[in-house]
């Protein structure tokens, strides 16, 4: 079998892949950074330490460099002043022959002979000893290109801009310049300082023109010393930063570990392990925190246990009362049926009383049934009888049960059902009860207008939406409508004799299926309730095939330019809306 040939990726795809991997790596690092208190403290300590050490190192380096250079420049100026006086002494001595001119630049010392400048240059060369100490260049402004110099100094070391500056100064004034020094036989320049001054020749009127003397001091030794000092400062600073980071890590670890243990204990406590406690060592603040945590956990466990017992007592009380009331209610019901059947023989007042008693007994029986159902949900005893059914059939049965009530309220149903079966695994009895509650609620609040019942399905879910055009819901009432015994208007009486538990039971039924029961409403635009269920029982619901907000409302908002987002109650149930 020939292996499949690998598909070559284009450069753009490679770049995208690199960017994607980089973003994932950056995301992982960001999550690790923000989830670790110890890492954040150590990182912050290192950053602050690096900044402080860098600032102090630069400041110390500048101070040391300034001190070294200033001391070297002061010594050079002192030597330059002494050399200037020595040259002036040679120039003011009487000479037998002053016609000698400077020699070529290649002489060492350059400018040989027995002239005063030659003798002065030779004396300065012997005084300097070597080029590592200093060198001297003497120039005559009337002899451009010619000079007297010591220790193979190159005249490029004295640029024209320095000569122009020296010529502007008064005789005897020193002008230090930091310039590269050049020597014959060496290709690379040497950092140094040049001190230039004019020679006062007033005492030697026989000398023509002005003279300039330049004292050239190499700073290569100082540069090496400062470089070594800089490296030492970097090494010491790096060691200090690492030491501070290690100290911060150690100190933070001593604090983080107890906090981390407390977090883990709190998570286990939140998961229901009420016997979880912290080990307390010592008497410091963290030990007192552990003691307080243990006391809090003990009190919390006690309160939860008391609440569980109280809740159990309440549930048992409701269940017992509901069961115990059935026996006298059955007797009362039998008597009421006899009175109701014989109401035609009574006077109008007694006949009306028999009818009212019959209606209220039916409502009382319905309330007892709802209370028993609620108590089953509270006790966690409710179960599903799952079967694969067509949602359209369930809707049609619920609509048929509501037809009589709709006719009494002059309401008509507008059914919008798909043409193909919508099969789903569900407890048809509970789903039918949900739809009946939704239809009864729409009839009661629809003010006689049509009620639209829509069914939708996709690959993963089915949904039923009940839309009315009544008074609607105010903002914030979308979730309150499912509370037990809740009324939007407490002064408004129940026109169809509801118990106030229908929508609460409906939401419990929907959640038992792993589905959503959500509401939308707006004043003057009516309301819509949407039931969304997974096609397969036990599969998490990820979206709904029907929108929660009616399409015509969304279109009006779009035309008006008010694209106001509607927050559905799915967020409270842990679901995601796929509108």
């Amino acid at each position: 079998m020939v292996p499949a040939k690998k598909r070559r990726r284009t450069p753009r795809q490679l770049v995208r892949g690199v960017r994607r991997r980089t973003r994932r790596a950056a995301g992982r690092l960001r999550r690790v950074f923000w989830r670790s208190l110890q890492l954040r403290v150590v990182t912050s300590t290192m950053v602050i330490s690096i900044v402080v050490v860098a600032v102090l190192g630069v400041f110390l380096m500048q101070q040391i460099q300034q001190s070294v250079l200033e001391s070297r420049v002061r010594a050079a100026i002192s030597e330059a002043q002494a050399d200037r006086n020595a040259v002036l002494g040679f120039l003011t001595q009487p000479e037998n022959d002053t016609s000698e001119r400077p020699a070529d630049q290649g002489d060492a010392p350059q400018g040989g002979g027995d002239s005063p400048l030659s003798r002065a240059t030779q004396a300065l060369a012997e005084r300097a000893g070597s080029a590592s100490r200093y060198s001297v260049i003497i120039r005559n402004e009337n002899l451009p290109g010619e000079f007297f110099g010591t220790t193979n100094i190159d005249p490029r070391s004295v640029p024209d801009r320095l000569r122009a500056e020296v010529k502007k100064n008064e005789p005897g004034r020193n002008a230090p310049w930091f310039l590269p020094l050049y020597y014959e036989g060496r290709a690379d320049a040497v950092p140094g300082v040049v001190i230039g001054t004019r020679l006062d020749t007033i005492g030697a009127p026989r000398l023509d023109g002005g003279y300039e003397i330049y004292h050239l001091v190499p700073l290569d030794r100082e540069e090496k010393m400062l470089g070594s000092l800089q490296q030492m400062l970097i090494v010491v600073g790096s060691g200090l930063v690492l030491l501070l980071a290690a100290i911060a890590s150690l100190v933070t670890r001593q604090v983080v570990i107890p906090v981390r243990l407390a977090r883990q204990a709190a998570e286990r406590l939140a998961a229901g392990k009420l016997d979880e406690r912290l080990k307390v060592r010592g008497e410091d603040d963290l030990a007192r925190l552990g003691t307080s945590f243990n006391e809090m956990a003990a009190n919390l466990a006690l309160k939860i246990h008391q609440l569980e017992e109280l809740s159990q007592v309440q549930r048992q009380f409701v269940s017992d009362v509901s069961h115990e009331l059935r026996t006298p209610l059955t007797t009362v019901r039998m008597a009421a049926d006899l009175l109701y059947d014989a109401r035609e023989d009574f006077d109008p007042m007694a006949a009306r009383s028999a009818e009212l008693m019959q209606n209220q007994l039916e409502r009382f029986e319905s309330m007892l049934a709802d209370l028993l159902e609620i108590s089953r949900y509270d006790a966690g005893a409710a179960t599903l009888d799952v079967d694969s059914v067509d949602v359209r059939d369930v809707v049609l049965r619920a609509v048929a049960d509501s037809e009589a009530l709709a006719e009494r309220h002059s309401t008509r149903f507008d059914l919008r059902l798909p043409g193909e079966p919508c099969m789903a695994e569900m407890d048809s009895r509970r789903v039918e009860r949900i739809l009946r509650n939704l239809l009864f609620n729409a009839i009661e609040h629809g003010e006689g207008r049509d009620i639209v019942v829509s069914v939708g399905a996709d690959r993963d879910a089915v949904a039923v939406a009940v839309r009315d055009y009544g008074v609607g819901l105010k903002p914030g009432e979308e979730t309150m409508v499912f509370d037990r015994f809740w009324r939007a208007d407490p002064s408004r009486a129940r026109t169809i004799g509801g118990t106030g538990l229908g929508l609460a039971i409906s939401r419990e039924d929907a959640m038992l299926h792993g589905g959503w029961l959500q509401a939308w409403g707006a004043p003057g635009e009516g309301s819509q309730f949407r039931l969304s269920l997974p096609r397969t029982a036990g599969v998490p619901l990820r979206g709904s095939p029907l929108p929660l907000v009616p399409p015509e409302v969304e279109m009006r908002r779009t035309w008006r330019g008010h694209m106001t987002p509607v927050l559905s109650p799915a967020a409270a149930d842990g679901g995601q809306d796929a509108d």
Side-chain angles (χ1 to χ4, degrees):
M1 186 174 179
V2 180
K5 190 174 181 180
K6 277 191 174 182
R7 186 177 178 182
R8 295 188 61 184
R9 302 176 66 184
T10 62
R12 181 175 297 179
Q13 291 175 338
L14 292 174
V15 172
R16 289 178 180 174
V18 171
R19 290 179 179 175
R20 188 162 52 250
R21 287 192 294 270
T22 303
R23 285 195 297 268
R24 284 200 296 265
R28 286 194 294 269
L29 289 175
R30 192 182 301 111
R31 287 192 296 271
V32 171
F33 179 78
W34 288 111
R35 292 183 64 181
S36 176
L37 176 62
Q38 184 176 4
L39 180 59
R40 292 204 305 273
V41 172
V42 173
T43 303
S44 303
T45 304
M46 287 190 66
V47 171
I48 296 174
S49 302
I50 289 173
V51 172
V52 173
V53 170
V55 171
L56 291 178
V58 170
F59 176 75
L60 289 176
M61 195 65 197
Q62 289 179 349
Q63 293 297 318
I64 294 173
Q65 183 177 2
Q66 183 178 0
S67 177
V68 170
L69 294 181
E70 284 182 355
S71 62
R72 190 72 174 108
V73 169
R74 284 197 300 269
I77 291 176
S78 177
E79 292 176 346
Q81 185 66 30
D83 293 344
R84 173 180 174 275
N85 295 332
V87 172
L88 283 176
F90 280 101
L91 291 178
T92 54
Q93 290 179 0
E95 292 284 345
N96 295 327
D97 186 9
T98 60
S99 61
E100 184 178 353
R101 297 300 180 189
D104 294 337
Q105 300 176 14
D107 298 339
Q110 295 146 2
D114 196 25
S115 66
L117 287 179
S118 298
R119 294 196 304 273
T121 303
Q122 186 175 2
L124 294 180
E126 294 176 355
R127 183 175 180 179
S130 63
S132 61
R133 186 178 178 189
Y134 65 86
S135 302
V136 178
I137 291 180
I138 303 176
R139 287 183 177 273
N140 189 337
E141 62 182 10
N142 294 330
L143 298 175
E146 297 182 356
F147 70 98
F148 289 86
T150 65
T151 60
N152 296 328
I153 190 68
D154 195 306
R156 290 183 300 167
S157 303
V158 181
D160 294 336
R161 65 179 184 278
L162 176 58
R163 294 194 62 192
E165 185 70 23
V166 171
K167 290 178 182 180
K168 294 178 183 178
N169 295 336
E170 298 178 357
R173 181 179 179 184
N174 298 317
W177 282 46
F178 293 94
L179 296 171
L181 305 182
Y182 300 92
Y183 294 90
E184 294 182 359
R186 293 184 61 175
D188 54 338
V190 176
V193 59
V194 180
I195 300 173
T197 182
R198 292 174 57 191
L199 295 178
D200 187 3
T201 56
I202 297 177
R206 57 183 179 77
L207 297 177
D208 55 344
Y211 291 88
E212 307 156 16
I213 180 171
Y214 297 94
H215 203 76
L216 302 96
V217 181
L219 300 176
D220 50 350
R221 292 182 178 177
E222 286 77 6
E223 185 182 26
K224 291 180 180 179
M225 182 189 69
L226 293 175
S228 301
L229 182 60
Q230 184 177 6
Q231 292 179 358
M232 184 177 64
L233 287 177
I234 292 175
V235 172
V236 172
S238 302
L240 180 60
V241 169
L242 294 178
L243 180 61
L244 291 175
I247 294 174
S249 177
L250 180 61
V251 174
T252 309
R253 182 180 176 83
Q254 294 178 354
V255 177
V256 167
I257 289 180
V259 174
R260 189 175 298 164
L261 294 176
R263 175 186 61 82
Q264 295 173 356
E267 291 176 351
R268 289 191 290 269
L269 192 66
K273 299 179 180 179
L274 300 180
D275 57 345
E276 185 67 28
R277 298 294 184 270
L278 289 177
K279 294 181 179 179
V280 179
R281 297 185 181 92
E283 299 179 356
D284 55 4
D285 293 336
L286 293 176
R288 290 197 294 270
L289 174 63
T291 303
S292 302
F293 179 87
N294 292 337
E295 293 177 355
M296 179 196 68
N299 294 331
L300 184 61
L302 178 61
K303 294 296 183 182
I304 291 177
H305 182 67
Q306 293 175 351
L307 290 175
E308 287 179 349
E309 290 182 348
L310 178 60
S311 178
Q312 181 66 26
V313 170
Q314 290 177 343
R315 289 196 299 266
Q316 189 65 34
F317 175 77
V318 172
S319 178
D320 293 343
V321 168
S322 301
H323 281 91
E324 292 297 329
L325 285 177
R326 283 187 175 275
T327 300
L329 181 62
T330 302
T331 304
V332 175
R333 178 72 176 179
M334 293 173 61
D337 288 341
L338 290 175
L339 293 175
Y340 183 76
D341 292 339
R343 69 184 182 279
E344 295 180 355
D345 299 332
F346 300 156
D347 59 87
M349 190 75 98
R352 179 58 180 165
S353 298
E355 291 177 356
L356 291 176
M357 184 173 62
Q358 183 76 6
N359 292 334
Q360 293 303 317
L361 280 175
E362 290 178 355
R363 183 180 179 186
F364 191 42
E365 287 180 339
S366 177
M367 182 177 293
L368 278 179
D370 290 346
L371 286 173
L372 285 173
E373 191 68 21
I374 284 290
S375 65
R376 291 192 195 98
Y377 281 114
D378 291 340
T383 58
L384 291 177
D385 185 11
V386 177
D387 193 10
S388 181
V389 297
D390 190 351
V391 180
R392 300 179 302 172
D393 297 337
V394 179
V395 172
L396 291 176
R397 288 198 299 270
V399 170
D401 293 341
S402 308
E403 286 279 355
L405 182 63
E407 290 178 359
R408 290 200 298 269
H409 287 77
S410 302
T411 302
R412 187 176 64 88
F413 292 117
D414 181 7
L415 301 182
R416 300 177 184 180
L417 308 180
E420 56 186 16
C422 301
M423 306 302 296
E425 296 178 358
M426 63 180 66
D427 188 338
S428 58
R429 179 183 65 85
R430 294 181 183 274
V431 174
E432 189 175 339
R433 181 171 61 185
I434 294 174
L435 297 178
R436 280 199 305 270
N437 287 328
L438 297 181
L439 292 173
F440 289 170
N441 183 76
I443 293 171
E444 182 177 4
H445 299 91
E447 298 184 344
R449 297 184 178 93
D450 292 349
I451 297 174
V452 179
V453 181
S454 305
V455 177
D458 58 16
R459 185 182 61 182
D460 301 320
V462 294
V464 181
V466 178
R467 170 83 161 100
D468 68 76
Y469 297 89
V471 295
L473 297 173
K474 298 178 182 178
E477 294 181 348
E478 295 88 353
T479 55
M480 298 171 61
V481 72
F482 297 105
D483 294 342
R484 301 175 185 181
F485 302 106
W486 182 84
R487 289 187 185 184
D489 186 2
S491 63
R492 180 181 176 129
R494 301 187 189 274
T495 60
I496 62 175
T499 63
L501 296 173
L503 291 179
I505 294 176
S506 298
R507 183 176 61 175
E508 297 291 345
D509 284 334
M511 295 173 61
L512 192 62
H513 282 81
W516 309 331
L517 182 57
Q518 303 160 277
W520 168 88
E525 294 187 350
S527 60
Q528 175 166 295
F529 288 78
R530 183 185 67 180
L531 172 65
S532 304
L533 301 173
R535 276 184 176 269
T536 304
V539 176
L541 188 63
R542 300 184 181 277
S544 178
L546 293 178
L548 179 61
V549 181
E552 65 272 14
V553 177
E554 281 290 349
M555 291 178 63
R556 284 200 299 270
R557 290 179 178 177
T558 304
W559 291 339
R560 296 172 185 171
H562 291 293
M563 290 298 293
T564 305
V566 178
L567 180 62
S568 68
D573 296 335
Q576 298 175 355
D577 209 336
D579 298 344

